[in-house]
Amino acid sequence: MATIGFIGGTGPEGLGLAMRLALADDRVLIGSRRPDRAEAAAQQVREALAAVGREADVGGGVNRDVVREAEIVVIVVPFDGHEATLNDLREEIGGKIVVDAAVPLAFVGGQPGIAAVEQGSATEQAQALLPEARVIGAFHNLSARKLQALEDEMAGDVLITGDDAEAKQAVMELVERMPRLRPVDAGALAMSSFVEGLTALLLSINRRYKSQAAVQVVGIE
Amino acid sequence: MATIGFIGGTGPEGLGLAMRLALADDRVLIGSRRPDRAEAAAQQVREALAAVGREADVGGGVNRDVVREAEIVVIVVPFDGHEATLNDLREEIGGKIVVDAAVPLAFVGGQPGIAAVEQGSATEQAQALLPEARVIGAFHNLSARKLQALEDEMAGDVLITGDDAEAKQAVMELVERMPRLRPVDAGALAMSSFVEGLTALLLSINRRYKSQAAVQVVGIE
């Protein structure tokens, strides 16, 4: 079991992922800019696990301390804080495995879309800002609400991009510990924009179907 | 049952779609710039259906004649011929339903990617070039090889984009006639780039898994 640190982990997506990984017996650390918010989020994770009769190994702290202690760092900040947050934590992150789950969502003419990112995607931006880190893209396409509903199993694939085979393998093993979610190797970091774009597409589908949809890749078994 | 005309229908994707729709008892017309190629492709459809004990209602002709006779026009030309072909057929297409299946694939640094299209996507380009037509995006993410393997049922969703509700409904009904394929309303035409991008992502996944993968949306039932 690994120690997973969540940067910007007090939002709904970060909380949901933290709960699911705590449920898989990983040690989870919630990072925030404010320690009181981080501790409140950690408490939410504890309570959510207690509600399904489980104990969570969870702590909270400022982002910088969480990064220092974590083996794997998961970036779940809203995209408008993505660049500044990563610049700020570059030194502490060093050569660690970074899982970027940020999606540069933008609404254009009322339709969900993706903002242009100079590097092509949020995940590639993370690798550009953190040249020593081993950046992997994952967890873009899961519903925060479903992640937090621990009494329900989740269905869906986690599409994973990355250029570092060992880091990718570590993240795929992390996903395998989350019941019914399946890791799918979607290729190189350069494929990240398409995975991030899928989030916009799922939002559009959710509007039509009043759903919390996910995707599954069929035909790779 | 409808009369479906395929423009540029002699390639593997067009042939596969024509076979599947002929199997669903639609009348299928294969269009090409060269009538001999169109007739040869129609003959391939006949033979493929005969091999599974079925008869095909299929004909072949030049693109212009096929458009005139078709109720629904499916665009399956390679993207580098997309603009010229549509410009050339604008008058004949008029206000018909046009299903655009073209994907502006481009390989960058050995990775599957999508070429920049001024209008945002191939499907939006089609609507811009054919302002009177009712353009719908569909059939971007199905394996040509699997489409042609009529002895096997296909699995996967057909993500459908469009701004004309009636035309979208007609295309969704077309997909429903293809066993085990399911139409999914993915929203407005503006969402087309994400559906086209998914094709690049599937190609990347296919490389990793040596597969002919498709996608399914889960959680909208």
Side-chain angles (χ1 to χ4, degrees):
Chain A
M1 302 304 109
T3 301
I4 319 289
F6 287 86
I7 303 310
T10 60
E13 190 78 14
L15 267 178
L17 285 171
M19 287 172 187
R20 291 278 167 178
L21 286 169
L23 203 62
D25 287 328
D26 284 295
R27 173 163 164 71
V28 164
L29 301 173
I30 312 269
S32 171
R33 281 176 297 184
R34 288 176 43 185
D36 55 328
R37 284 223 193 136
E39 182 43 48
Q43 185 57 24
Q44 266 188 275
V45 174
R46 264 177 228 119
E47 286 167 11
L49 267 81
V52 294
R54 295 283 302 279
E55 220 170 298
D57 185 358
V58 58
V62 293
N63 286 327
R64 199 173 302 273
D65 292 343
V66 162
V67 167
R68 280 202 195 100
E69 212 178 322
E71 294 156 71
I72 296 179
V73 177
V74 185
I75 310 297
V76 281
V77 289
F79 187 69
D80 61 9
H82 191 255
E83 188 170 359
T85 303
L86 297 185
N87 273 330
D88 199 40
L89 296 170
R90 183 180 299 118
E91 202 176 313
E92 285 77 15
I93 289 174
K96 293 190 189 213
I97 296 176
V98 170
V99 182
D100 202 314
V103 178
L105 277 177
F107 287 76
V108 182
Q111 301 297 330
I114 295 289
V117 180
E118 188 196 335
Q119 296 87 352
S121 63
T123 306
E124 290 163 285
Q125 184 185 70
Q127 185 66 80
L129 296 172
L130 306 168
E132 285 174 36
R134 301 145 82 194
V135 174
I136 299 295
F139 300 127
H140 298 92
N141 308 136
L142 299 175
S143 150
R145 199 197 300 174
K146 288 208 168 181
L147 280 167
Q148 292 189 30
L150 295 186
E151 65 282 8
D152 300 330
E153 285 198 334
M154 295 199 74
D157 287 341
V158 177
L159 301 174
I160 296 178
T161 56
D163 293 339
D164 182 308
E166 199 184 79
K168 189 186 271 181
Q169 188 55 36
V171 177
M172 293 185 73
E173 284 166 15
L174 201 69
V175 176
E176 272 163 10
R177 294 205 288 274
M178 302 165 83
R180 281 193 66 195
L181 292 178
R182 180 178 64 161
V184 171
D185 183 351
L189 268 194
M191 304 309 295
S192 303
S193 66
F194 304 113
V195 181
E196 296 171 17
L198 197 47
T199 303
L201 198 58
L202 285 169
L203 285 179
S204 173
I205 289 169
N206 286 342
R207 278 189 184 179
R208 291 283 186 294
Y209 291 87
K210 312 206 182 308
S211 56
Q212 301 278 319
V215 287
Q216 263 174 355
V217 179
V218 293
I220 59 169
E221 295 77 14
Chain B
M1 300 305 107
T3 301
I4 320 289
F6 287 85
I7 302 312
T10 60
E13 190 78 15
L15 268 178
L17 285 171
M19 288 173 187
R20 292 277 166 177
L21 285 169
L23 202 62
D25 288 326
D26 285 296
R27 173 162 165 72
V28 164
L29 301 173
I30 311 268
S32 170
R33 282 176 297 184
R34 288 176 42 184
D36 55 330
R37 284 222 192 139
E39 184 41 51
Q43 185 56 24
Q44 266 187 275
V45 174
R46 266 177 227 116
E47 286 167 12
L49 266 80
V52 293
R54 295 283 301 279
E55 219 169 299
D57 185 358
V58 59
V62 292
N63 286 327
R64 200 172 303 272
D65 293 342
V66 163
V67 167
R68 281 202 194 99
E69 211 176 323
E71 295 156 70
I72 295 179
V73 177
V74 185
I75 310 296
V76 279
V77 289
F79 187 69
D80 61 9
H82 190 255
E83 187 169 358
T85 303
L86 297 185
N87 274 331
D88 199 41
L89 297 170
R90 182 179 300 118
E91 203 176 314
E92 285 77 14
I93 289 174
K96 294 191 189 213
I97 295 176
V98 170
V99 181
D100 201 312
V103 178
L105 275 178
F107 287 76
V108 181
Q111 301 297 330
I114 295 289
V117 180
E118 189 197 335
Q119 296 86 352
S121 63
T123 305
E124 289 162 287
Q125 184 185 71
Q127 185 65 80
L129 296 171
L130 307 168
E132 284 175 37
R134 301 146 83 194
V135 175
I136 299 294
F139 299 128
H140 298 92
N141 308 135
L142 299 175
S143 149
R145 200 197 298 174
K146 288 208 167 180
L147 280 167
Q148 292 189 30
L150 296 185
E151 65 282 8
D152 301 328
E153 285 199 333
M154 294 199 75
D157 287 340
V158 177
L159 300 175
I160 297 179
T161 56
D163 293 340
D164 183 306
E166 199 184 80
K168 189 186 270 182
Q169 188 55 37
V171 177
M172 291 185 74
E173 284 165 15
L174 202 69
V175 176
E176 271 162 10
R177 294 205 288 274
M178 302 165 84
R180 282 194 67 196
L181 291 178
R182 178 179 65 161
V184 171
D185 182 352
L189 267 195
M191 303 310 295
S192 302
S193 66
F194 304 113
V195 181
E196 295 171 17
L198 198 47
T199 303
L201 198 58
L202 285 168
L203 285 178
S204 174
I205 289 169
N206 286 342
R207 278 188 183 181
R208 291 282 186 294
Y209 292 87
K210 311 205 181 311
S211 56
Q212 301 279 318
V215 286
Q216 261 173 356
V217 179
V218 293
I220 59 170
E221 296 77 16

